[in-house]
Amino acid sequence: MRPQIKLSETTSELQGILELQRVNLLSEISEKESADQGFVTVRHSMDQLQLMHALEPHVIAKDGDKVIGYILAMTKESRELVPVLVPMFGQFDRLIFGEKLLSDYDYMVIGQICVDKGYRGQGIFDRMYDHYRATFSTRYDFAITEIAISNSRSLKAHQRVGFKVIHEFNDSTQNWAIVMLDWKQTK
């Protein structure tokens, strides 16, 4: 049976997100695996996921009852919920898109995306982004996030579905690319 793509609804689905996140954290996998398979960098708490979900639900992929993929949905209103991500929002606030500051737009932030190792290469990433676009593109101007440049698998996958690099910067932890999916320019 083909995995289902849907919006998160239950606490058990949020727990499934946290379990998938835990096994794919950069701090939990080998250097070789992070280079080959990609990684996630931020560990969220259940409280954070629930508060984010209350603003906008997350997109998830499920195989039966198991969460096998997710895209965390963040809005400008959720910027303070995950303190480690506040500097990312600060970067967004300083950038210009078109002739306006990004902060003048109503955008969605990809809080994180992950697909279970056993399900990679099956189109789930693309299907989740199709659902994300269908859900949010009528209410938000575009989607934006930052990706560690060392996470080449993620960067390439995002570019494949239409994200464009709009800025690069360095901080004390990594070199980063800020990428945007302008829904008016894609599909």
Side-chain angles (χ1 to χ4, degrees):
M1 187 165 107
R2 188 173 179 186
Q4 176 188 20
I5 309 297
K6 64 185 285 295
L7 297 176
S8 59
E9 298 175 280
T10 67
T11 301
S12 66
E13 289 172 341
L14 298 180
Q15 187 58 47
I17 290 171
L18 290 176
E19 290 170 18
L20 184 55
Q21 179 183 82
R22 182 185 54 77
V23 298
N24 287 281
L25 282 165
L26 180 59
S27 61
E28 301 297 318
I29 60 177
S30 71
E31 192 173 311
K32 180 178 179 356
E33 184 174 357
S34 71
D36 292 345
Q37 294 294 313
F39 54 88
V40 296
T41 56
V42 176
R43 181 187 305 256
H44 295 79
S45 70
M46 178 59 80
D47 286 344
Q48 289 168 328
L49 282 189
Q50 288 174 324
L51 290 167
M52 289 163 54
H53 172 86
L55 294 168
E56 289 289 2
H58 311 295
V59 172
I60 60 172
K62 290 182 78 174
D63 188 358
D65 289 335
K66 181 182 178 183
V67 174
I68 58 155
Y70 64 83
I71 303 176
L72 299 184
M74 294 185 77
T75 65
K76 288 183 189 181
E77 292 77 23
S78 60
R79 79 184 288 147
E80 302 292 328
L81 296 178
V82 185
V84 71
L85 294 180
V86 170
M88 174 183 70
F89 282 93
Q91 285 284 335
F92 298 165
D93 289 346
R94 291 187 289 277
L95 295 177
I96 294 175
F97 177 65
E99 296 188 14
K100 299 190 313 189
L101 288 169
L102 285 182
S103 58
D104 292 335
Y105 290 93
D106 197 13
Y107 57 78
M108 282 297 297
V109 175
I110 309 305
Q112 189 175 82
I113 182 169
C114 186
V115 176
D116 184 284
K117 290 174 207 158
Y119 292 85
R120 292 179 186 157
Q122 298 178 27
I124 292 169
F125 181 96
D126 297 46
R127 288 180 56 217
M128 286 193 307
Y129 264 120
D130 287 344
H131 196 86
Y132 196 90
R133 179 190 336 257
T135 302
F136 299 119
S137 66
T138 59
R139 298 192 319 264
Y140 296 92
D141 296 314
F142 52 80
I144 190 166
T145 195
E146 66 181 11
I147 301 171
I149 291 174
S150 65
N151 196 347
S152 61
R153 182 182 180 113
S154 180
L155 195 53
K156 288 176 187 171
H158 280 82
Q159 289 172 320
R160 185 184 71 245
V161 297
F163 280 83
K164 306 273 190 260
V165 175
I166 62 167
H167 183 70
E168 293 183 11
F169 70 98
N170 305 323
D171 69 12
S172 61
T173 63
Q174 294 263 356
N175 296 327
W176 298 91
I178 295 177
V179 297
M180 174 190 287
L181 178 63
D182 183 355
W183 287 308
K184 294 170 192 72
Q185 300 296 316
T186 58
K187 289 188 183 179

